[in-house]
Amino acid sequence: MKLATLNNGTRDGLLVVVSQDLTRCTEAARIAPTLQAALDDWATVAPKLEVLCESLAHDAVPSLRFHEHLALSPLPRAYQWADGSAYVNHVELVRRARGAEMPASFWSDPLIYQGGSDSFLAPRAPIRMADEAWGIDMEGEIAVIVDDVPMGASVEEAAAAIRLVMLVNDVSLRGLIPAELGKGFGFFQSKPSSAFSPVAVTPDELGEAWDGGKVHLPLCVDLNGQPFGRAEAGVDMTFDFPTLIAHAAKTRPLCAGSVIGSGTVSNKLDGGPGKPVDQGGVGYSCIAEIRMIETIETGGPKTPFLRFGDTVRIEMRDKAGHSIFGAIEQTVERHEH
Amino acid sequence: MKLATLNNGTRDGLLVVVSQDLTRCTEAARIAPTLQAALDDWATVAPKLEVLCESLAHDAVPSLRFHEHLALSPLPRAYQWADGSAYVNHVELVRRARGAEMPASFWSDPLIYQGGSDSFLAPRAPIRMADEAWGIDMEGEIAVIVDDVPMGASVEEAAAAIRLVMLVNDVSLRGLIPAELGKGFGFFQSKPSSAFSPVAVTPDELGEAWDGGKVHLPLCVDLNGQPFGRAEAGVDMTFDFPTLIAHAAKTRPLCAGSVIGSGTVSNKLDGGPGKPVDQGGVGYSCIAEIRMIETIETGGPKTPFLRFGDTVRIEMRDKAGHSIFGAIEQTVERHEH
């Protein structure tokens, strides 16, 4: 089942069921007005949505052309956005670039930051920032939406609570991160609104690419129309989603509709840092990573962060080459207040 | 106007208008089913709620006895919970207790952490934790709920967006904080679900105690029935609410219903650390602070963190001694999963 939220002028949008090939959709408002409402009562609502999905597939209900640019993020605002750093390779590279050791515990104890979830960007909305000097960067990630998770849930209970999978652009302001992390309380201004893929899918839509904890497909990240990252999301993910969810639920329950992110998808190459796509590597899912490798290799970064006018595209294709979630495609623009 | 959310078995509860003396309430469901719904359309909804409030005051509508123990947090779940550390004295004491210098910038650049907002505790709900060794502590704070705040809002725009004021118990797990902050990404497991006061009030309900940015009244924190803190919330608040809100909105908009906290209310005494209430001081709004002072004065902490069975009460009274927001009153219990 594939679900999306269309922009109907309301804060939470309109829930629609989308065809497997992303070409058509049908309103689900009589079953649940919004995706959050569906998640709030998933056991009752999901079977009804499945029936509607079947009807759409058989052209048995009125449908509309599905336009990705009319979609909001599946949850335009959510109650919880907890983003992991499951690809520890990414974290190790960041540290190495600034000459810092990464504690060995990072390979066994998941790292998660508490994100803000009140104003997610639409998948085709511009990334508007007041200043290029803030070091605007994308982070290509995968995220899951969970049902209610009780406090202290086991990894198995966490796995059973995964309802939907989607993609994320976790926009980051690299220029603001060092000072903000230096204050000791984590990210706030340096992690502005994230954008999610036009479509969220139930794990069964991924077929064999979903093993219950990871997505085994490459994440396609393009920068200004050129391939920038093709990292395998199922490789080098040190902590799978159930492990991240259980970590997040250690001292609190998670409410239905909580979004848990993987962190920037990142692959090693022969145990070392990766290579750009145009040099035969799988590339990177954020600019910071290539800058770290440039710093390690040449003493300083070469690739600039995003500038006004730059465009980022994040997508994932199945083995047959079909887009699974639709594409996040965002242009960076100057914010005028 | 005073508003509360009654537990009616739904996730977001039932919005009620509460009488000024907190004794009676009347359903507001025909105006807005939930507080978030009211905040989503405040300009339209607030005048109608004001009329209902007037009607309640004149006994012109059916009303019920208001029981604080039947209230959920005004927003049982929210889209944004950003908690400041506006009482910099508190931060300075924490640092001094562990022999660390506080950067001078902490007096000019607000410190805010991104909290989790998907599962707030009811004001009379127990604080259930699996392990006393996590160092369970209360933090008595004030919070405001804002309307939509655009990205890059000025302090004046931020001030104009404040809609409601309430109290918070920002439950903290002191034993988990050092390791978690040491990982560099801020709090997650160490800041479990917070609880808010039974009632949220419009700023005008505070009369002269509200100056547009701070609440000038003492925050009463009791531990096991004994006065523990009586710190003046209007004193030593280095950053007022508009400043905190503008800081939070620098790189993102804030959605209507976002909750912004003050951080632990804390007063200096003659430029130095405070004294306990039973020694004539204003005491503390969290246990960590008295432990810091004990550490500074005697080389080690004496007061234990909360144990199973301990009860915390947080309340604020007007000049005439009447409770403004009702009381947060929570007992610590063992969580069994």
Side-chain angles (χ1 to χ4, degrees):
Chain A
M1 181 162 62
K2 299 194 174 192
L3 300 172
T5 295
L6 294 186
N7 188 351
N8 65 349
T10 66
R11 292 178 184 269
D12 298 302
L14 175 74
L15 181 63
V16 295
V17 170
V18 182
S19 64
Q20 211 263 328
D21 65 358
L22 307 181
T23 61
R24 303 205 63 81
C25 67
T26 188
E27 283 193 24
R30 270 174 298 180
I31 299 171
T34 65
L35 181 55
Q36 182 63 52
L39 289 156
D40 281 348
D41 193 18
W42 189 254
T44 305
V45 168
K48 295 179 188 174
L49 292 174
E50 294 279 6
V51 169
L52 185 60
C53 187
E54 277 291 300
S55 300
L56 176 64
H58 293 92
D59 212 12
V61 284
S63 68
L64 298 165
R65 178 112 201 131
F66 178 66
H67 295 289
E68 295 183 22
H69 69 271
L70 298 182
L72 300 173
S73 281
L75 290 169
R77 52 182 181 174
Y79 294 105
Q80 170 63 274
W81 162 228
D83 196 11
S85 275
Y87 299 84
V88 178
N89 180 47
H90 169 79
V91 183
E92 196 174 37
L93 281 172
V94 183
R95 300 263 170 158
R96 211 197 302 174
R98 61 171 206 248
E101 282 287 303
M102 188 182 76
S105 64
F106 277 37
W107 292 104
S108 55
D109 181 33
L111 190 59
I112 288 185
Y113 82 87
Q114 177 64 64
S117 54
D118 57 315
S119 59
F120 291 141
L121 299 175
R124 302 295 168 94
I127 299 166
R128 290 206 176 97
M129 286 294 148
D131 195 345
E132 274 182 348
W134 289 347
I136 306 160
D137 198 0
M138 71 278 195
E139 288 196 345
E141 308 187 7
I142 296 165
V144 298
I145 305 178
V146 297
D147 207 330
D148 288 300
V149 179
M151 188 189 326
S154 66
V155 171
E156 293 68 30
E157 289 171 303
I162 296 172
R163 296 287 168 263
L164 295 166
V165 184
M166 55 189 177
L167 306 180
V168 198
N169 181 11
D170 184 46
V171 181
S172 299
L173 301 174
R174 304 293 178 192
L176 304 186
I177 288 178
E180 198 158 57
L181 294 193
K183 288 157 76 176
F185 275 20
F187 306 102
F188 199 96
Q189 294 178 336
S190 51
K191 289 283 186 181
S193 302
S194 298
F196 294 81
S197 51
V199 171
V201 311
T202 48
D204 60 290
E205 288 287 340
L206 296 166
E208 291 186 355
W210 175 251
D211 68 3
K214 302 178 187 182
V215 179
H216 293 272
L217 285 169
L219 183 68
C220 302
V221 178
D222 289 0
L223 178 57
N224 295 327
Q226 297 300 313
F228 188 81
R230 296 293 182 267
E232 286 285 341
V235 173
D236 294 327
M237 188 183 189
T238 305
F239 306 106
D240 63 8
F241 281 109
T243 305
L244 294 174
I245 297 162
H247 182 88
K250 182 182 173 188
T251 63
R252 57 154 63 73
L254 299 174
C255 166
S258 291
V259 183
I260 313 292
S262 67
T264 308
V265 177
S266 174
N267 291 165
K268 290 190 176 189
L269 181 68
D270 302 329
K275 274 199 283 193
V277 175
D278 62 10
Q279 293 173 28
V282 297
Y284 316 98
S285 304
C286 67
I287 294 173
E289 200 159 308
I290 191 170
R291 287 169 59 93
M292 294 170 216
I293 289 167
E294 289 163 353
T295 300
I296 292 167
E297 291 181 349
T298 71
K302 285 178 194 160
T303 307
F305 288 120
L306 297 173
R307 291 167 173 163
F308 298 138
D310 283 348
T311 296
V312 174
R313 184 180 168 98
I314 299 173
E315 197 170 17
M316 184 172 266
R317 297 177 178 280
D318 64 18
K319 299 276 187 208
H322 301 120
S323 182
I324 298 171
F325 306 96
I328 298 170
E329 190 170 310
Q330 301 185 275
T331 300
V332 182
E333 295 181 2
R334 183 186 299 278
H335 172 72
E336 312 280 359
H337 175 61
Chain B
M1 180 162 63
K2 299 195 174 192
L3 301 172
T5 296
L6 294 186
N7 188 351
N8 65 350
T10 66
R11 292 178 184 268
D12 298 301
L14 175 74
L15 180 63
V16 296
V17 169
V18 182
S19 63
Q20 211 264 328
D21 65 358
L22 306 182
T23 61
R24 305 206 60 82
C25 66
T26 188
E27 282 192 24
R30 271 173 298 180
I31 300 171
T34 66
L35 181 54
Q36 182 64 51
L39 289 156
D40 281 346
D41 192 20
W42 189 253
T44 305
V45 168
K48 296 179 187 173
L49 292 174
E50 294 278 6
V51 170
L52 186 61
C53 187
E54 278 291 301
S55 300
L56 177 64
H58 293 91
D59 212 12
V61 284
S63 67
L64 299 164
R65 178 111 201 135
F66 178 66
H67 295 289
E68 295 183 23
H69 70 270
L70 299 182
L72 301 173
S73 281
L75 290 170
R77 53 183 181 174
Y79 294 105
Q80 171 63 275
W81 162 229
D83 196 11
S85 275
Y87 299 84
V88 179
N89 180 48
H90 169 79
V91 183
E92 195 174 38
L93 280 173
V94 183
R95 301 262 170 156
R96 208 198 304 176
R98 58 172 207 247
E101 283 287 303
M102 189 182 75
S105 65
F106 278 36
W107 292 102
S108 54
D109 181 35
L111 190 60
I112 287 186
Y113 83 87
Q114 177 63 65
S117 54
D118 57 313
S119 59
F120 292 141
L121 299 175
R124 302 295 168 93
I127 299 166
R128 292 207 174 97
M129 286 295 148
D131 194 346
E132 274 182 349
W134 290 346
I136 306 160
D137 198 1
M138 71 279 195
E139 288 196 346
E141 309 187 6
I142 296 165
V144 298
I145 304 178
V146 296
D147 207 328
D148 288 300
V149 178
M151 190 190 326
S154 66
V155 171
E156 293 69 28
E157 288 171 303
I162 296 173
R163 295 287 167 263
L164 295 165
V165 184
M166 55 189 178
L167 306 181
V168 197
N169 181 11
D170 184 44
V171 180
S172 299
L173 301 175
R174 304 293 178 194
L176 304 186
I177 288 179
E180 198 159 56
L181 294 193
K183 288 157 75 176
F185 275 19
F187 306 102
F188 199 97
Q189 293 178 337
S190 51
K191 289 283 187 180
S193 303
S194 298
F196 294 81
S197 52
V199 171
V201 312
T202 48
D204 60 288
E205 288 286 342
L206 296 166
E208 292 186 355
W210 176 250
D211 67 5
K214 302 178 187 182
V215 179
H216 293 271
L217 285 169
L219 183 68
C220 302
V221 179
D222 289 0
L223 178 56
N224 295 326
Q226 297 300 312
F228 188 81
R230 295 292 182 268
E232 286 285 341
V235 172
D236 294 326
M237 189 184 188
T238 305
F239 306 105
D240 64 9
F241 281 109
T243 305
L244 294 174
I245 296 162
H247 181 88
K250 182 182 173 187
T251 64
R252 58 153 64 74
L254 300 174
C255 166
S258 291
V259 184
I260 312 292
S262 67
T264 308
V265 177
S266 175
N267 291 166
K268 291 189 177 193
L269 182 68
D270 302 329
K275 274 200 283 195
V277 174
D278 63 9
Q279 293 173 28
V282 297
Y284 316 97
S285 305
C286 67
I287 293 172
E289 201 160 307
I290 191 169
R291 287 170 58 93
M292 294 169 216
I293 290 168
E294 288 164 351
T295 300
I296 292 166
E297 291 181 349
T298 71
K302 284 178 194 160
T303 308
F305 288 120
L306 297 172
R307 291 168 173 161
F308 298 136
D310 283 348
T311 296
V312 174
R313 185 180 169 97
I314 299 173
E315 197 169 18
M316 184 173 267
R317 297 176 179 281
D318 63 19
K319 300 275 188 209
H322 301 119
S323 182
I324 299 171
F325 307 94
I328 298 170
E329 190 169 310
Q330 301 185 273
T331 300
V332 182
E333 296 182 0
R334 183 185 300 279
H335 172 72
E336 312 280 359
H337 175 60

